[in-house]
Amino acid sequence: MAKAPAPNPWTKPRGEPIKGKAIPRPSRTADVQSYIPAFLKGMSLTMKHFFKNTKETMLGQTPDPVLESLSEGVTTINYPEVKRPYPDRFRGLHRLTLRQDDSPRCVACLCCSTACPAQCIHIVAGEYPEGDARRGYERYPTSFVIDELRCIFCGFCVEACPCDAIRMDTGMHATAYDSREQFIYKRELLMSFTGRDGSRESANPRHEPGDLTHPGVTREHMSH
């Protein structure tokens, strides 16, 4: 006697046929067929919110979209005339801080691009020209590019920077563009952004080579 085939564990076992449940159709009365009661009900609700919002806007009684978001009433904002306030730790678009001579604070050490998990930062380092006190001590970025579409706004670049050269305190979010090239932010654009307080320079003091407060070795100490 032949053995019964073993059940396939990947196949649903055959059971009873599926029986459908009959749903009664609603009665089509004259009110339902004409749509007039439903239309008037919807229009009354729309006009109710329209006059209520108009009154609150004229009298300045619109609830705050952040602090009173759970209160009764409409909590929409008239964007872009009215923008939602972001918290202090909001990570907005990047910016490059400047020195007092409007040169980039960045020393092209590549710490930010190395720490970036999305690999959206590309830096090309260059040497300062002959005669500059910073030549031989540090470099500067001849090219500094951030792909804002690839950025995940983790803030690792800001944490990794030893010079406070890159920040995310602009308070701005990316604008809706129509091409990918417009999301490639280059050095000049990053240097043009300001912080929320309007500052462009770094608040941390920088000890330049040759200053008495410079903690590193000087050119005189390098000669033996």
Side-chain angles (χ1 to χ4, degrees):
M1 182 176 181
K3 295 182 179 179
N8 188 352
W10 303 101
T11 304
K12 184 178 180 181
R14 180 177 299 177
E16 297 181 356
I18 300 175
K19 298 180 181 179
K21 182 180 179 181
I23 300 177
R25 298 179 64 85
S27 59
R28 295 185 177 181
T29 60
D31 296 340
V32 175
Q33 292 286 58
S34 62
Y35 301 103
I36 294 178
F39 172 77
L40 296 177
K41 183 180 178 180
M43 286 300 299
S44 63
L45 183 62
T46 301
M47 297 307 295
K48 173 186 173 182
H49 288 295
F50 171 76
F51 288 111
K52 183 174 182 299
N53 294 342
T54 303
K55 185 199 72 173
E56 291 179 349
T57 303
M58 297 295 292
L59 300 180
Q61 300 175 347
T62 305
D64 187 274
V66 176
L67 302 179
E68 302 176 9
S69 59
L70 300 179
S71 61
E72 184 180 1
V74 179
T75 56
T76 57
I77 56 177
N78 299 324
Y79 186 85
E81 288 78 11
V82 179
K83 297 182 179 178
R84 180 184 293 273
Y86 292 119
D88 295 336
R89 294 187 176 182
F90 168 73
R91 293 170 180 168
L93 293 178
H94 305 76
R95 74 180 177 100
L96 289 178
T97 58
L98 307 179
R99 301 172 188 265
Q100 293 182 351
D101 57 354
D102 292 337
S103 61
R105 181 73 181 275
C106 176
V107 296
C109 64
L110 308 184
C111 286
C112 57
S113 59
T114 304
C116 178
Q119 299 181 359
C120 64
I121 303 177
H122 178 71
I123 302 173
V124 177
E127 292 287 348
Y128 282 99
E130 292 288 348
D132 195 302
R134 291 167 291 188
R135 182 177 177 83
Y137 283 91
E138 60 187 36
R139 299 180 296 178
Y140 74 101
T142 58
S143 175
F144 195 110
V145 179
I146 298 180
D147 187 348
E148 295 290 343
L149 283 182
R150 296 188 61 178
C151 177
I152 58 176
F153 296 92
C154 62
F156 283 2
C157 56
V158 179
E159 297 293 335
C161 180
C163 303
D164 190 30
I166 183 171
R167 289 190 177 187
M168 303 174 71
D169 59 350
T170 57
M172 300 185 299
H173 57 270
T175 308
Y177 296 127
D178 54 359
S179 65
R180 179 175 180 80
E181 288 71 18
Q182 293 175 301
F183 287 95
I184 308 300
Y185 288 8
K186 299 183 179 179
R187 189 190 70 168
E188 286 69 22
L189 180 61
L190 295 171
M191 292 172 57
S192 66
F193 291 150
T194 62
R196 291 183 175 180
D197 55 353
S199 63
R200 299 177 62 190
E201 301 178 3
S202 172
N204 299 324
R206 175 67 176 174
H207 304 280
E208 304 292 347
D211 297 343
L212 297 177
T213 57
H214 186 256
V217 295
T218 61
R219 296 182 185 277
E220 289 74 14
H221 290 90
M222 295 176 61
S223 59
H224 295 282

